[in-house]
Amino acid sequence: MTSNPSDPSNDDGDTPKDPLSEMLARLMGGNAQGMDPQELAKAAGLPSDPQAMAMMMQQVQAMFAAQSDGPVNWQLAHDHARRVAAADGDPSVTPQQRRDVDEALRLAEMWLDPVTDFPSTNTLGRAWSHAEWVEATMDTWKRLTEPVAVSIAKALSDAISGQLPEEMKTMMGGASSMLQNLGGAMFGMQLGQAVGALSKDVVSSTDIGVPLAEGQMALLPVNVAAFGEGLDIPEQEVRLFLAVREAAHTRLFTQVPWLSGHLLGAVESYARGIHIDMSKIEEVARDIDPSNPESMQAALSEGVFMPERTPQQDAALVRLETALALVEGWVDELTAAATANLPSSAALREMVRRRRATGGPAEHAFASLVGLELRPRRLRDAATLWAHLTAERGIEGRDAVWEHPDLLPTAEDLDDPQGFSQRRQLAESSDSEVDAALQRLLDGGFDETEETPSPDESPESGDQPTNGEGSPEGGKP
């Protein structure tokens, strides 16, 4: 049996190790067993998957001589996401499933018409497999994760390069480029793992609250069936309830043009603010003993390459979570109203609420990827607010709140839904007073006050006060 030299696990003494394994061995002071690739994966938040790690090592080896187009290997992310999505089977959507989804989404649109002022989008409903969901959403994942990906990839390459012996740098020549590719490959694997895992959990294109496939409306039949398992609810009812939620999301994002950019922009701004604490990496690196493999493994297991959250990011997270809660609360309220005659509506509503509030393993994986949890923690508060506005203003008045981002409720409004209208009236009144004053100024309404001289102004010669004897003060008679 011939050994595979590209296999990182190959320990055949007669077969040379691949360059990456050799480099890692040299990093560990010559001990070939000192650097476990799975420990490196653990530092980056990757799963302990020997097959996945072997694939990553082969990919990095193939990139030794390749020119890097950027700090992240997006092709590797895409390929690994597809591989994870297909694990344990990813059957193609059947014609019957497509008909069922199409029928459910068409009916959902009809049910939504009486409960919202936003018109139907006439979007064609689709049924997706896991792989089709990956393909439809990958560009958005790239947009959301690229800012932090750049930081992580650079931190990885800088940290590893700093520990590379001089003789290894000379021997490998293009070590800097290779190490950058290593960091990009690690993040690509991490992103692919998270996206692939999410494809097995999500039931629709908007299931996490942001428009991952903008302009498209879709359900994943296999995941919808899994969602309903053990609920003792007919699959048709489950599919219809989830279709109403998907249609409501799509209608909102389509009829409120600024909303998609508002949400995605908030996520991007949050991600750009995430940074890698290089001082922490340097501090850990100083404690590493090259002759002691355990010291490197201990450093890696601390997860020093993961992003640090700053106070500014915590504040940004509150704003983002408020926006996500408002979207999910509006969808939750509309879905409840549209499915009022569905026997299982209340039970399904509660299940979705809990699922969105706590998140699943795949959502936690994404949270570890960029330090961001796309979960509407205040979904119930937001739903209460929208219900209050519906009762107070009617459907048209409630939906008019989406006309501009400045009109959106704040975290304070979620705390006190009943006081929202009063606070809004006070704010609008204050704005009106400022506008009126500005208009008066522009119209010359304040000129009269400028014509009356102040006590400090010098009087004109012809209007000088007298001293009581008909002469100006200080003058001679």
Side-chain angles (χ1 to χ4, degrees):
M1 178 177 177
T2 303
S3 299
N4 182 3
S6 65
D7 184 356
S9 64
N10 176 30
D11 57 1
D12 187 347
D14 297 330
T15 304
K17 298 181 178 63
D18 64 276
L20 181 60
S21 296
E22 179 67 18
M23 181 200 76
L24 296 180
R26 293 295 297 271
L27 277 173
M28 300 314 303
N31 187 333
Q33 300 299 319
M35 183 63 167
D36 183 356
Q38 293 191 37
E39 291 294 332
L40 189 61
K42 183 178 180 181
L46 290 172
S48 180
D49 184 350
Q51 181 180 1
M53 286 305 302
M55 184 193 72
M56 187 191 81
M57 294 305 177
Q58 292 170 9
Q59 289 282 342
V60 174
Q61 182 180 357
M63 290 188 293
F64 280 165
Q67 183 67 31
S68 176
D69 294 330
V72 178
N73 190 330
W74 299 112
Q75 185 61 45
L76 181 59
H78 170 271
D79 294 345
H80 189 54
R82 288 291 300 264
R83 186 173 288 103
V84 173
D88 302 323
D90 180 24
S92 299
V93 177
T94 67
Q96 182 61 49
Q97 288 175 325
R98 294 189 188 280
R99 286 192 294 270
D100 290 342
V101 167
D102 178 69
E103 180 183 341
L105 288 171
R106 286 177 184 273
L107 186 56
E109 289 278 33
M110 293 174 59
W111 285 12
L112 283 172
D113 285 338
V115 299
T116 178
D117 193 46
F118 296 142
S120 173
T121 63
N122 296 317
T123 302
L124 179 65
R126 301 180 183 276
W128 285 342
S129 64
H130 299 159
E132 288 172 319
W133 182 88
V134 169
E135 293 295 335
T137 63
M138 201 65 200
D139 285 345
T140 303
W141 289 119
K142 179 179 177 181
R143 175 182 172 184
L144 294 179
T145 60
E146 188 163 21
V148 68
V150 171
S151 298
I152 291 180
K154 185 178 185 301
L156 283 169
S157 61
D158 289 350
I160 297 176
S161 180
Q163 293 302 106
L164 190 67
E166 289 298 327
E167 60 271 20
M168 283 295 295
K169 293 180 182 179
T170 302
M171 181 184 73
M172 299 183 66
S176 177
S177 176
M178 186 279 295
L179 288 173
Q180 182 177 356
N181 286 337
L182 173 61
M186 290 186 66
F187 190 89
M189 285 288 293
Q190 194 178 23
L191 175 60
Q193 179 69 32
V195 173
L198 272 172
S199 73
K200 299 180 178 182
D201 285 352
V202 295
V203 297
S204 66
S205 73
T206 59
D207 199 15
I208 68 169
V210 295
L212 294 175
E214 192 168 1
Q216 300 193 63
M217 181 168 60
L219 295 179
L220 283 72
V222 173
N223 294 356
V224 170
F227 178 92
E229 287 181 358
L231 295 181
D232 196 25
I233 298 174
E235 183 176 340
Q236 182 180 5
E237 288 190 24
V238 174
R239 181 168 55 248
L240 185 52
F241 184 88
L242 297 177
V244 171
R245 284 183 50 83
E246 172 71 354
H249 274 111
T250 304
R251 191 174 293 207
L252 178 63
F253 289 126
T254 301
Q255 304 299 344
V256 183
W258 57 264
L259 183 56
S260 295
H262 180 75
L263 277 176
L264 296 179
V267 176
E268 287 177 304
S269 297
Y270 179 93
R272 288 193 189 97
I274 294 177
H275 71 285
I276 305 298
D277 190 350
M278 294 303 295
S279 62
K280 183 177 179 181
I281 293 178
E282 293 171 358
E283 179 182 348
V284 172
R286 285 195 297 268
D287 296 334
I288 293 176
D289 179 4
S291 64
N292 180 10
E294 286 75 15
S295 67
M296 174 65 91
Q297 293 180 354
L300 291 173
S301 65
E302 293 178 7
V304 296
F305 299 130
M306 296 307 295
E308 295 282 335
R309 181 180 292 170
T310 65
Q312 292 78 8
Q313 293 309 102
D314 288 334
L317 183 60
V318 171
R319 293 192 296 271
L320 178 59
E321 287 186 339
T322 299
L324 288 171
L326 290 172
V327 170
E328 290 298 287
W330 186 87
V331 169
D332 178 81
E333 179 64 18
L334 257 67
T335 302
T339 61
N341 294 326
L342 200 64
S344 56
S345 177
L348 288 170
R349 183 187 191 189
E350 183 61 27
M351 183 176 180
V352 169
R353 280 181 164 189
R354 293 180 180 180
R355 180 175 179 267
R356 291 295 292 121
T358 59
E363 287 188 78
H364 290 298
F366 177 75
S368 67
L369 177 67
V370 296
L372 177 65
E373 296 178 343
L374 295 176
R375 296 207 302 273
R377 299 179 185 277
R378 307 198 64 182
L379 186 156
R380 295 176 188 272
D381 295 333
T384 300
L385 171 63
W386 291 120
H388 174 73
L389 290 178
T390 303
E392 182 180 75
R393 303 183 177 191
I395 291 175
E396 183 178 356
R398 177 202 64 198
D399 291 349
V401 175
W402 292 106
E403 288 180 357
H404 192 277
D406 290 346
L407 299 178
L408 284 184
T410 63
E412 180 184 6
D413 296 319
L414 296 183
D415 293 333
D416 177 25
Q418 286 73 23
F420 170 74
S421 294
Q422 182 178 3
R423 284 187 295 273
R424 181 54 48 82
Q425 289 173 359
L426 290 174
E428 291 173 350
S429 174
S430 177
D431 291 341
S432 298
E433 291 175 359
V434 172
D435 291 341
L438 179 60
Q439 188 61 48
R440 183 182 175 191
L441 178 63
L442 294 174
D443 293 341
F446 293 100
D447 290 346
E448 296 178 1
T449 60
E450 297 175 357
E451 294 176 358
T452 303
S454 66
D456 295 333
E457 290 180 351
S458 298
E460 299 294 334
S461 59
D463 298 325
Q464 292 181 1
T466 63
N467 59 5
E469 297 180 357
S471 299
E473 286 185 293
K476 294 181 180 181

